[in-house]
């Protein structure tokens, strides 16, 4: 995973933080077979199988995710909009949140550059 980090330093990384339970529901809705990395775990249900696999994947990838330049937490977005269910957070809402985070990063960079030049 080290190689991608240096490549990504030329851009911006955003972690879309989605609760694993919500991801498991989405995977089951489209079919577990559509996600080869979520192979059979011996669980009794597709949801439990997806959740177990996602949990194991997150254990490995979580540290890399935490190095993102910014994070958009779908749980926080849903709560701030008084949504009772994460499924109400649309791709458009997520995109707007990502753009807002990118804008914050740009403003921070400008401020740092101004302070360095002053």
């Amino acid at each position: 995973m080290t190689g991608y980090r240096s490549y990504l330093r030329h851009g911006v990384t955003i972690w879309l933080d989605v609760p694993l339970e919500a991801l498991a529901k989405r995977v089951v809705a489209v079919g577990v077979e559509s996600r080869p990395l979520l192979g059979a775990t011996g669980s009794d249900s597709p949801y439990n199988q997806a959740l177990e696999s996602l949990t194991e994947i997150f254990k490995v990838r979580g540290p890399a995710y935490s190095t993102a330049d910014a994070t958009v937490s779908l749980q926080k977005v849903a709560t701030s909009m008084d949504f009772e269910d994460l499924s109400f957070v649309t791709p458009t809402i997520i995109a707007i949140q990502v753009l807002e985070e990118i804008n914050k990063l740009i403003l921070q960079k400008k401020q740092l550059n101004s302070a360095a030049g002053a």
Side-chain angles (χ1 to χ4, degrees):
M1 283 192 146
T2 306
Y4 86 94
R5 288 187 185 135
S6 63
Y7 177 73
L8 291 176
R9 289 298 95 201
H10 299 287
V12 174
T13 55
I14 307 288
W15 173 18
L16 296 179
D17 183 10
V18 181
L20 296 180
E21 297 81 5
L23 287 175
K25 285 180 185 177
R26 289 181 187 182
V27 167
V28 169
V30 298
V32 177
E33 63 281 348
S34 70
R35 298 295 186 138
L37 288 178
L38 303 182
T41 63
S43 290
D44 55 346
S45 72
Y47 172 80
N48 287 338
Q49 175 182 330
L51 184 58
E52 285 179 22
S53 295
L54 287 166
T55 300
E56 290 304 312
I57 290 169
F58 184 77
K59 285 179 186 175
V60 174
R61 295 182 183 176
Y65 294 160
S66 67
T67 65
D69 297 311
T71 300
V72 172
S73 165
L74 267 61
Q75 185 66 58
K76 287 181 182 177
V77 171
T79 300
S80 72
M81 300 183 88
D82 292 327
F83 291 158
E84 293 181 18
D85 191 324
L86 288 178
S87 64
F88 295 131
V89 181
T90 66
T92 301
I93 293 170
I94 295 168
I96 290 168
Q97 295 298 316
V98 167
L99 290 171
E100 287 177 0
E101 289 300 319
I102 292 170
N103 190 48
K104 287 179 193 175
L105 291 169
I106 290 169
L107 292 173
Q108 288 173 356
K109 186 174 181 177
K110 285 181 180 179
Q111 289 173 345
L112 287 173
N113 289 342
S114 293

